[in-house]
Amino acid sequence: MKILVIEDDASTAAFVRKGLEEAGYTVDHAPNGRDGLFLATDGSYDCIVLDRMLPGIDGMGVLAGLRGAGIATPVIVLSALGAPEDRVAGLTKGADDYLTKPFTFAELEARIGLLIRRGGASGTAPTTTLGYGDLEMDLLGRRVRRAGQAIDLQPREFRLLEFLLRHADQVVTRTMLLEGVWDYHFDPGTNVIDVHVSRLRRKIDDPFDTALLQTVRGVGYRLGTEG
């Protein structure tokens, strides 16, 4: 598998490249948007990791150039801009995923693997929805429905469910949730995860016949069906 990393920060680029190469990927690096767009348009990459704030051509310009040229290679945007409107802008421009800085390599690798397994986006229809069974999430409208019924989630609950949906059928540990949902790189020693999982479960599971949010005792949680 071949990955293109378009990133102007040398330390971030080296960190990502080293981790991907150790995971068995072949990695090319472009330090600016112009070089990145040139490399990306040959269509030989399985996934592109794209910084949003780049010299020459910024990440949104690179995305527009790629999709305008009909290049459907999956793209995951890395950015320090993590507000909902920034994420929406990235997705509507053609990104398949959006990961905010700082990030953990484990989550980046998991998201890259998921994009590659899914075969990427069409280039004209970027991923703006997530789902599992009768549970649906609209990333642009910030809406959640199950079995056609609207579910009202608080912002942190929405982010928690989004993380679980992106890792559906996988066990996610407390550490993964702390890093991916709360941006903690340490365990604060509180029951914040348990409280939010409990609230989320009451909303997406309790009113319905089939429970989706499973507790994996001693490990973490999994969005999926038992068995």
Side-chain angles (χ1 to χ4, degrees), residues 105-185:
F105 178 76
E107 183 174 3
L108 174 63
E109 183 185 6
R111 292 191 182 205
I112 288 172
L114 182 60
L115 288 179
I116 291 175
R117 288 194 299 273
R118 286 177 175 174
S122 66
T124 58
T127 301
T128 59
T129 60
L130 297 171
Y132 189 93
D134 59 358
L135 180 64
E136 303 172 346
M137 172 176 281
D138 176 359
L139 294 170
L140 298 184
R142 311 294 287 180
R143 291 185 291 267
V144 173
R145 303 179 72 87
R146 183 167 184 193
Q149 179 179 326
I151 299 174
D152 183 30
L153 297 182
Q154 296 299 311
R156 188 70 69 177
E157 295 166 349
F158 188 95
R159 189 171 177 184
L160 173 60
L161 180 58
E162 179 185 350
F163 188 90
L164 290 166
L165 281 166
R166 291 188 184 277
H167 296 80
D169 286 322
Q170 302 175 31
V171 176
V172 295
T173 65
R174 292 178 60 87
T175 298
M176 290 173 66
L177 290 174
L178 285 168
E179 293 180 340
V181 179
W182 279 268
D183 297 321
Y184 292 163
H185 298 283

Side-chain angles (χ1 to χ4, degrees), residues 60-136:
M60 297 299 95
V62 172
L63 268 174
L66 283 174
R67 300 316 187 206
I71 304 297
T73 305
V75 175
I76 178 168
V77 170
L78 298 181
S79 179
L81 303 175
E85 57 269 26
D86 297 315
R87 293 160 59 87
V88 168
L91 293 169
T92 55
K93 285 291 186 180
D96 300 276
D97 202 351
Y98 194 107
L99 183 61
T100 56
K101 297 178 179 179
F103 60 92
T104 64
F105 178 76
E107 183 174 3
L108 174 63
E109 183 185 6
R111 292 191 182 205
I112 288 172
L114 182 60
L115 288 179
I116 291 175
R117 288 194 299 273
R118 286 177 175 174
S122 66
T124 58
T127 301
T128 59
T129 60
L130 297 171
Y132 189 93
D134 59 358
L135 180 64
E136 303 172 346

Side-chain angles (χ1 to χ4, degrees), residues 2-22:
K2 191 176 180 182
I3 309 292
L4 174 62
V5 177
I6 308 175
E7 168 65 65
D8 65 319
D9 182 78
S11 61
T12 301
F15 167 72
V16 172
R17 183 170 193 165
K18 181 176 183 292
L20 290 174
E21 288 178 340
E22 289 177 348

